[in-house]
Amino acid sequence: MGKLIGYRLALVAPQLVLVSLLVFSMTYMVPGSPAAAILGAQANPERIAELESQLGLDAPPLQRLVEWYGAAFTGDFGTSYSSSLPVTDTLLERFPATLSLVLGGLLVAVVLGIGLGVLAGVRAGGLADRTVAAATAVGLAIPEFWLGLVLTLVFAVQLGWVPVISWTPVTDDPVAWARGLILPSLALGIGAAALIARQTRGAMVQALSSPFVDTLTAAGVSRRRIVMRYALKNAMVPVLASTGITVTIMIGASFVVEKVFAFPGVGDLMLRSVIGKDFPVVQAGVLMIACLVIVVNLLIDLGYGLLNPKARPQ
Amino acid sequence: MKKALLRSSVVPAMVAALALAGCSGSSDGSDSDGSAASGTLAANWGGFPESWAPGAEMEAGYMRVPYETLVALGEGGEIEPVLATEWEQTDDALTLTLREGVTFHDGTPFDGEAVKANIEAIQGSQGPYSAPLQVVESVEVVDDQTVTLNLASPTPSLLTFLSTRGAPMASPEAIADGSVATDPVGTGPWAYDESASSSGTQMSFTAYDDYWGEDVGFDTIELYAIEDDNAAAAALASGEIDLGDSETYVQSQFEGRDNIETLSYPAIRNNLQFFDRGPGGVFEDVDVRRAACYAIDQQVVADLAGDMVSATQHFAEGEPGYNDQIDGYPVDTDEANSLMQQAGNPSVSAEILATVFNEDQIQVYADQMGEAGMDVSVQSAPPPQYFSEWNSGRYPMGLGSNDELTPYDWYRAWFAADAPGNPSGVESDELKAAADAAIAAGASEEADALWADVTKVIADEALACGHMVGEELIAWNADVVTGVAPSSQPWEPNLVDYQALQPAGGGS
């Protein structure tokens, strides 16, 4: 297990370097000058050139890249072009909202997905199985933003059970934070839950048809124990693998859900920064998201290694 | 069928969770009953400013809560006093007499030094409002209540600029220590209260005890940053928001809610412009430009958009630059074809850049110009590329917003030989003569008429046409707030006259 952790951690640095290089290169591919975008349509060429110089945009690409890496290693990702505030502070201020949303969505996806998947797998071919199959088809078909709006209209506007303005920092009020996360987490997590449910159902059916289940049954082990202790553990190996991919998709989808629920997250900031060519924010934001994806996949891989010894480096 | 399946599977789990949530304690105080009783107004304008520093881009609905400007525009476009009570402008300088007894929310006195600090901060800012103040060579503090802005060239539009959201007056202390970017400190009726705010979601502003002006109706203004139109409408319908900008396509959410009222007023404008007017250019010939203008049927766009109206010219009636002699270019395909014949039926092939928010309008214009024998192809681009390139000269024509408030600014930005928005560098002798005469008139009584002559030349030469005006929609909860009216600041979307607002005395 130690070898697996070491092996995966060794891959993190090159992955981050590759991502940052790609993002840095992309800033040169975007047409137009950030200075022109900042100053507006009426700026004259002299003023644009002056601002480009102020922002260091007239320096050679390699010099800018080296300077950026040098500062990034100290946690300094520069200053936002549009707000003139430190990028690190801006992103850290918004990261909790995005992280809360992704974790909330993941909780919904895992609990609902595994629960429904186990139910369908144990009763394969029955009414519960067919109902879950239909429900997951619906769950996969519904776009997150549409579901978010419907949930808002029903539970926030019509019933008044939860607020439309969802986000409260956990440090301000943990109860309000949890309440505010319910609808956004459902909107983000239901599609992912459908994916996990289908994966779990298939894995459970396969596990329950394995010879070891017959042996355990013959030995007098209860059905509940067979399902929950043995079959589910085996079924979790492929489910865990698909969950890793699901989380990556959810991080992207969270940007849309943030907008629907007015979450002050990284997604909203990134969208505005891309449009405004605020490259320091885009570069640092992509790196932060890459870190999140890498950490999640690292945890998934470690879990995979725990459940499946064959997956560990020999 | 889908609904049935959803009910049978997912809904029970959600209902259970939500029922638990409903039992988990009291609301966070966002119910409108409390709002009205406590004299609190909750307003949303779609997204907080990324920076509150003078010179940064701020929606007026946010900026004009803590901040005030030196002057304001009245209903008829005349300059009115705010923090400056008197002014005298010559070709070389603008001298302002400042209001006495005004303090910033941090207790710093508002004086000549404060004005100097703000003007210099805006000049040095990395934003769209630094350019208009580059004409100020120096700021001279004559005494506490008098300040002179020395000008590099005659700038008749300077006072107008000083009335806009581009020139708020912030505490020089907050500017100096950089805190103004996140914590606005102005002279306005409401002061920012960080302790009552929630980072990224809600900013609270409480009535400033030492405010120099008249008492305001609400003790507290809570500003929100809900960007999505549907979510904003839901927040208004649920009573979490009392006032904000809205869109026509979400009005169905207010059906059956008699307490939600709306008003609309003209705000954002756009028009077609011909950039390739130099020798050999696609639109060098004025008849070709006129033909394109006659081919366009703006009503089609108005019907398509639902929240836009057509206009004959850039400036509205009552604004400086409006000319009642301008008839615009009413759709007339026969006239368009006749003008093309007159021009020798040249082969007109042009590309125009569009993006998500104007592609429909541009496609309509392109199709209509096709009726006059012009081959106009629409290139789609993401917003960053569009903003960078639509008026760069790469495309012979373009459609965009011209948000200049005065005919002087409009001319200097788009039509003068050295205008940033005139890549061809071509300016007719007639236009130059008219503009020179208007500039020479400065702020005199003849200036308005002379600028109206300038806009007439621009229309006659078909340098711009296809004018459309976007309607800004404001919605509010009439159970909570009364006195909602558009601000007299033209072209500032997402704004009401805050100081006219009064509690309705009832909750929703």
Side-chain angles (χ1 to χ4, degrees):
Chain A
M1 204 54 203
K3 266 188 183 177
L4 175 64
I5 295 170
Y7 173 73
R8 294 295 288 116
L9 284 176
L11 285 177
V12 169
Q15 282 174 326
L16 289 178
V17 169
L18 188 65
V19 168
S20 57
L21 270 174
L22 279 172
V23 177
F24 191 86
S25 305
M26 277 195 289
T27 62
Y28 279 92
M29 293 176 202
V30 177
S33 157
I38 293 163
L39 292 170
Q42 310 320 316
N44 59 38
E46 295 77 22
R47 179 75 183 117
I48 291 170
E50 186 187 338
L51 185 56
E52 280 179 344
S53 176
Q54 279 176 26
L55 298 173
L57 294 169
D58 53 352
L62 192 62
Q63 183 188 324
R64 284 178 58 202
L65 182 65
V66 169
E67 285 173 356
W68 186 79
Y69 273 127
F73 274 115
T74 66
D76 175 12
F77 290 98
T79 304
S80 162
Y81 294 162
S82 54
S83 70
S84 301
L85 293 168
V87 170
T88 310
D89 294 355
T90 306
L91 282 168
L92 287 178
E93 193 176 284
R94 289 171 167 267
F95 192 63
T98 299
L99 187 64
S100 300
L101 179 57
V102 171
L103 290 178
L106 186 61
L107 184 69
V108 168
V110 169
V111 171
L112 204 60
I114 292 177
L116 291 174
V118 169
L119 180 69
V122 169
R123 305 191 180 184
L127 179 63
D129 185 20
R130 289 200 298 274
T131 306
V132 169
T136 54
V138 173
L140 287 169
I142 298 176
E144 287 89 352
F145 75 89
W146 184 85
L147 180 60
L149 287 171
V150 169
L151 291 173
T152 298
L153 290 174
V154 173
F155 294 105
V157 178
Q158 296 298 331
L159 299 173
W161 289 359
V162 285
V164 174
I165 302 163
S166 311
W167 174 247
T168 304
V170 68
T171 48
D172 287 8
D173 184 345
V175 175
W177 170 80
R179 284 180 78 237
L181 270 175
I182 293 171
L183 290 188
S185 300
L186 286 169
L188 183 62
I190 280 175
L195 272 175
I196 292 172
R198 288 189 164 203
Q199 188 76 40
T200 306
R201 187 253 177 212
M204 282 299 290
V205 169
Q206 196 174 8
L208 289 170
S209 60
S210 300
F212 78 84
V213 172
D214 296 337
T215 308
L216 289 167
T217 307
V221 179
S222 70
R223 177 74 174 168
R224 172 184 285 267
R225 192 170 167 82
I226 290 169
V227 169
M228 300 311 292
R229 185 175 173 85
Y230 299 101
L232 186 57
K233 186 182 174 184
N234 278 344
M236 281 302 95
V237 175
V239 169
L240 209 53
S242 68
T243 303
I245 298 163
T246 304
V247 170
T248 308
I249 295 167
M250 279 172 68
I251 291 170
S254 72
F255 288 12
V256 179
V257 176
E258 275 179 18
K259 227 172 158 55
V260 173
F261 290 94
F263 260 49
V266 174
D268 170 56
L269 178 71
M270 290 292 285
L271 288 170
R272 275 192 287 157
S273 300
V274 168
I275 289 169
K277 296 200 182 92
D278 198 342
F279 293 151
V281 176
V282 174
Q283 284 167 254
V286 169
L287 205 62
M288 182 182 268
I289 293 158
C291 282
L292 186 59
V293 171
I294 287 167
V295 166
V296 166
N297 279 294
L298 181 65
L299 293 173
I300 298 282
D301 283 356
L302 295 180
Y304 196 70
L306 272 174
L307 289 171
N308 183 9
K310 288 180 185 174
R312 300 173 199 168
Q314 300 305 307
Chain B
M1 181 63 183
K2 278 186 181 179
K3 280 182 184 172
L5 289 168
L6 197 63
R7 266 202 307 272
S8 66
S9 55
V10 180
V11 168
M14 294 193 315
V15 169
L18 289 161
L20 284 171
C23 301
S24 66
S26 64
S27 146
D28 57 1
S30 56
D31 59 286
S32 57
D33 287 355
S35 204
S38 62
T40 297
L41 177 79
N44 172 67
W45 306 107
F48 294 136
E50 290 186 40
S51 168
W52 289 85
E57 183 67 70
M58 298 180 231
E59 284 287 3
Y62 293 108
M63 170 263 174
R64 293 187 183 275
V65 171
Y67 287 132
E68 290 176 311
T69 46
L70 290 163
V71 290
L73 289 183
E75 294 292 342
E78 70 281 5
I79 302 292
E80 292 184 343
V82 184
L83 293 175
T85 53
E86 293 171 32
W87 46 88
E88 184 184 348
Q89 185 165 2
T90 65
D91 286 352
D92 304 318
L94 169 66
T95 299
L96 298 157
T97 304
L98 307 179
R99 187 176 296 279
E100 292 186 35
V102 178
T103 58
F104 290 99
H105 303 147
D106 61 1
T108 309
F110 170 75
D111 55 17
E113 288 295 344
V115 173
K116 179 179 165 75
N118 275 277
I119 298 292
E120 289 174 351
I122 297 166
Q123 282 182 313
S125 66
Q126 295 174 2
Y129 302 113
S130 66
L133 282 186
Q134 298 306 313
V135 73
V136 178
E137 279 187 325
S138 63
V139 183
E140 183 187 339
V141 179
V142 179
D143 57 43
D144 280 355
Q145 305 312 132
T146 314
V147 66
T148 298
L149 279 55
N150 296 308
L151 309 178
S153 59
T155 314
S157 63
L158 183 57
L159 274 167
T160 303
F161 173 76
L162 293 175
S163 75
T164 69
R165 62 195 165 123
M169 292 292 118
S171 161
E173 303 285 333
I175 292 172
D177 65 21
S179 62
V180 74
T182 52
D183 300 357
V185 184
T187 59
W190 294 277
Y192 176 50
D193 181 357
E194 189 183 6
S195 64
S197 302
S198 178
S199 177
T201 304
Q202 174 253 324
M203 295 182 79
S204 189
F205 296 81
T206 52
Y208 180 46
D209 290 340
D210 293 332
Y211 180 56
W212 62 268
E214 291 177 14
D215 288 347
V216 288
F218 283 92
D219 292 333
T220 304
I221 303 275
E222 286 181 352
L223 295 177
Y224 289 83
I226 307 170
E227 191 177 352
D228 183 79
D229 296 325
N230 281 293
L236 186 62
S238 71
E240 291 172 63
I241 295 295
D242 307 319
L243 167 76
D245 64 309
S246 192
E247 297 292 339
T248 48
Y249 75 92
V250 299
Q251 296 309 291
S252 58
Q253 287 198 41
F254 304 142
E255 278 172 16
R257 295 179 188 274
D258 297 338
N259 58 322
I260 304 294
E261 295 185 10
T262 61
L263 67 81
S264 63
Y265 63 93
I268 297 168
R269 311 171 195 198
N270 71 37
N271 53 257
L272 191 68
Q273 282 170 261
F274 303 99
F275 298 123
D276 192 11
R277 293 186 277 112
V282 179
F283 295 107
E284 179 190 13
D285 191 329
V286 64
D287 284 337
V288 173
R289 298 198 299 268
R290 286 174 180 154
C293 292
Y294 275 120
I296 287 169
D297 184 357
Q298 292 154 250
Q299 194 53 47
V300 173
V301 173
D303 294 343
L304 190 70
D307 59 354
M308 295 182 93
V309 293
S310 64
T312 58
Q313 55 192 291
H314 183 59
F315 294 100
E317 193 168 356
E319 292 175 353
Y322 177 79
N323 188 323
D324 59 9
Q325 301 300 304
I326 297 174
D327 298 325
Y329 290 87
V331 60
D332 189 338
T333 310
D334 292 341
E335 179 67 12
N337 286 313
S338 163
L339 283 162
M340 284 297 280
Q341 242 174 349
Q342 202 171 295
N345 280 322
S347 169
V348 175
S349 179
E351 283 185 345
I352 182 168
L353 195 65
T355 191
V356 284
F357 52 77
N358 61 18
E359 194 160 357
D360 289 348
Q361 182 183 354
I362 289 174
Q363 191 60 62
V364 168
Y365 283 6
D367 292 346
Q368 291 168 340
M369 282 186 272
E371 301 285 310
M374 301 181 187
D375 176 20
V376 179
S377 61
V378 180
Q379 298 292 320
S380 292
Q385 186 182 344
Y386 169 82
F387 286 122
S388 297
E389 296 185 1
W390 78 273
N391 61 345
S392 64
R394 274 192 59 186
Y395 297 88
M397 64 201 302
L399 184 139
S401 294
N402 292 183
D403 54 3
E404 292 75 27
L405 291 173
T406 67
Y408 168 80
D409 286 323
W410 195 47
Y411 162 78
R412 290 292 316 148
W414 299 102
F415 308 111
D418 59 349
N422 182 5
S424 70
V426 170
E427 179 182 11
S428 72
D429 293 342
E430 190 185 355
L431 178 58
K432 181 154 177 41
D436 286 347
I439 291 168
S444 66
E445 284 183 12
E446 312 84 70
D448 277 0
L450 291 166
W451 280 114
D453 292 344
V454 172
T455 54
K456 180 80 165 66
V457 175
I458 290 168
D460 290 347
E461 293 185 1
L463 303 181
C465 64
H467 298 281
M468 298 297 295
V469 181
E471 291 279 302
E472 178 68 21
L473 189 68
I474 304 289
W476 69 94
N477 184 340
D479 289 343
V480 176
V481 57
T482 60
V484 180
S487 158
S488 62
Q489 280 294 133
W491 305 14
E492 285 198 355
N494 300 337
L495 180 64
V496 292
D497 182 356
Y498 275 109
Q499 296 187 48
L501 302 179
Q502 294 294 328
S508 55

